[in-house]
Amino acid sequence: MTDQRPAPAAPAAGLRERKKRRTRDALLRAALLLFVSQGYEKTTVDEITDAVDVSQRTFFRYFANKEEVAFAVQDLVESHFVAALRARPDAEGPLEAMRNAVLASWDTIGEAIAEVVPVDLYMRTYRLIESTPALLAVHLRRSTELEERISLLIAAREGLDVDADPRPRVAVAAFSGVMRVTGRLWGQGEDASVAAIRRMTEAYLDQIGPALASDWR
Amino acid sequence: MTDQRPAPAAPAAGLRERKKRRTRDALLRAALLLFVSQGYEKTTVDEITDAVDVSQRTFFRYFANKEEVAFAVQDLVESHFVAALRARPDAEGPLEAMRNAVLASWDTIGEAIAEVVPVDLYMRTYRLIESTPALLAVHLRRSTELEERISLLIAAREGLDVDADPRPRVAVAAFSGVMRVTGRLWGQGEDASVAAIRRMTEAYLDQIGPALASDWR
DNA sequence: TGTGAAGTGTCAGTGGCTGTCACTAGCCTG
DNA sequence: CAGGCTAGTGACAGCCACTGACACTTCACA
């Protein structure tokens, strides 16, 4: 997760700072546009830097690699979810809290995204990630990192030690597994709206209990 | 180290075939050895091909990319699990069947692996995968592909349509999530034995029910 | 206003990966 | 068993992601 964002509570930073942010944003937007319009693999870093008129070297000073730029917005979405989870009342059980946190964060994520790129561009990027093997792989690895953070959070809520009690990690794993399935299906489906994935998430989360029952008939 | 496998229904193929298999096996073994001894990233394809005395081009004719060679044995393990799952009696519920299939397949996987590489080498490779970001990413992506296959299998067992009923995918997602957690923890832990991961799997799978309960206290 | 450092461009180099082409060796047919 | 066919390979050239080194420009700040 990228740290530096003087977002809320950051007046007009120095000229240098602003220039930097502008360059980064320009690279990000140009990259995502190119990715969604012609595909990730078919986009070279040179094309991105040409579009922004900086050197290739500069790109790699802002983003560790070509993949990273594709996940810049995803970072935002994830920290949004984590914040929503932190905000859940203690009274809610683990699974209930996670469920409410996703649903709540999807209701408000739009604005947060729009500060950086058009929401539509993000959604098309998300679909691109799901459908591009190289990006999907990175996405999944990042997801497990997020899962670990969530596990620690859940454990803290319940006053447990993650290493002593398997339940936090198991619950998060089950929850995340379901989230991935919905993400994938949404990416493959017709309806690319936020509403669609929200609806799907709700429906699939409802099935966790029934799915783990010993007899489905 | 046998140069060919008395594989089921594969007599002595032509000389061409045998040479091919020998080259592939040699590349595989050399690659894994280099990977585990000096790390994945620090091993160049040239080093691998030099060790086997073939051209770099030849390497890429056998393996689509450098990553693929690291997963050759994993392929074996996965199809072993799928076979075990197919063999579970219809009477078992979905989760029960998957659980029994993993445990059963771990009891017998050793011999299957040993036909290709020393079991110890495989285990060290597995740990390397878990601890190398680039490989972990690919591993996770491959896992989701496997999950889809399993979902279809489970659905078939229960006479369901995966797209109409979310339960197969949800159950598999939850199950796989737990499996990944155990794989990761095993990779980080001290005990690198098959027994260790088997034990851990059993313990964690036992926690699925409790973990999803609405109240842990 | 001068000095230091942050940000960038340029250049050279490495390594993964691909296309092409020519050559050789196992295979097959007459 | 000769001669042609083709799969497998090596050699080579080239693309692209990425890195290190160094010099230059531009802002920041004393």
Side-chain angles (χ1 to χ4, degrees), chain A residues 139-151:
Chain A
H139 178 53
L140 295 170
R141 192 196 57 213
R142 287 170 41 95
S143 298
T144 64
E145 286 157 16
L146 177 61
E147 278 177 45
E148 183 63 11
R149 286 173 59 205
I150 300 176
S151 297

Side-chain angles (χ1 to χ4, degrees), chain B residues 28-106:
Chain B
L28 173 58
R29 252 185 297 257
L32 296 191
L33 277 174
L34 285 166
F35 289 167
V36 301
S37 69
Q38 61 186 34
Y40 173 75
E41 324 257 8
K42 286 194 188 122
T43 303
T44 67
V45 174
D46 280 336
E47 285 180 278
I48 301 169
T49 55
D50 283 355
V52 179
D53 208 59
V54 295
S55 75
Q56 198 205 47
R57 199 71 188 77
T58 293
F59 176 92
F60 287 108
R61 289 202 179 94
Y62 281 99
F63 303 97
N65 45 55
K66 190 179 148 189
E67 282 147 8
E68 197 176 292
V69 67
F71 292 96
V73 184
Q74 193 63 22
D75 261 348
L76 210 70
V77 174
E78 287 168 8
S79 46
H80 201 79
F81 166 75
V82 171
L85 181 57
R86 271 186 225 280
R88 300 314 306 173
D90 284 343
E92 293 180 350
L95 209 60
E96 190 186 3
M98 290 191 279
R99 179 202 164 97
N100 289 335
V102 225
L103 296 177
S105 72
W106 264 330

Side-chain angles (χ1 to χ4, degrees), chain A residues 58-80:
Chain A
T58 294
F59 176 92
F60 286 109
R61 290 203 178 95
Y62 281 100
F63 303 97
N65 46 55
K66 190 178 149 189
E67 283 148 7
E68 197 176 291
V69 66
F71 291 96
V73 185
Q74 193 63 23
D75 261 350
L76 209 71
V77 174
E78 288 168 8
S79 45
H80 201 82

Side-chain angles (χ1 to χ4, degrees), chain B residues 140-153:
Chain B
L140 295 171
R141 192 197 58 214
R142 287 171 42 95
S143 298
T144 64
E145 286 157 14
L146 178 61
E147 277 176 44
E148 183 62 11
R149 286 172 60 204
I150 300 176
S151 297
L152 294 173
L153 248 166

Side-chain angles (χ1 to χ4, degrees), chain A residues 82-145:
Chain A
V82 171
L85 181 57
R86 270 186 225 279
R88 299 316 304 173
D90 284 345
E92 293 180 351
L95 210 60
E96 190 186 2
M98 289 190 279
R99 178 203 165 95
N100 290 335
V102 225
L103 296 177
S105 72
W106 264 330
D107 287 336
T108 58
I109 189 65
E111 301 119 58
I113 295 173
E115 280 179 29
V116 190
V117 295
V119 177
D120 182 57
L121 182 54
Y122 165 67
M123 307 234 279
R124 276 184 290 153
T125 303
Y126 187 88
R127 288 181 156 227
L128 183 76
I129 290 172
E130 285 282 341
S131 63
T132 305
L135 292 181
L136 177 57
V138 173
H139 178 53
L140 295 170
R141 192 196 57 213
R142 287 170 41 95
S143 298
T144 64
E145 286 157 16

Side-chain angles (χ1 to χ4, degrees), chain B residues 127-169:
Chain B
R127 289 183 153 225
L128 183 75
I129 290 172
E130 286 281 342
S131 62
T132 306
L135 292 181
L136 177 57
V138 173
H139 179 53
L140 295 171
R141 192 197 58 214
R142 287 171 42 95
S143 298
T144 64
E145 286 157 14
L146 178 61
E147 277 176 44
E148 183 62 11
R149 286 172 60 204
I150 300 176
S151 297
L152 294 173
L153 248 166
I154 293 291
R157 277 174 69 95
E158 303 289 326
L160 298 172
D161 173 5
V162 263
D163 290 315
D165 192 321
R167 289 176 301 173
R169 288 201 175 107

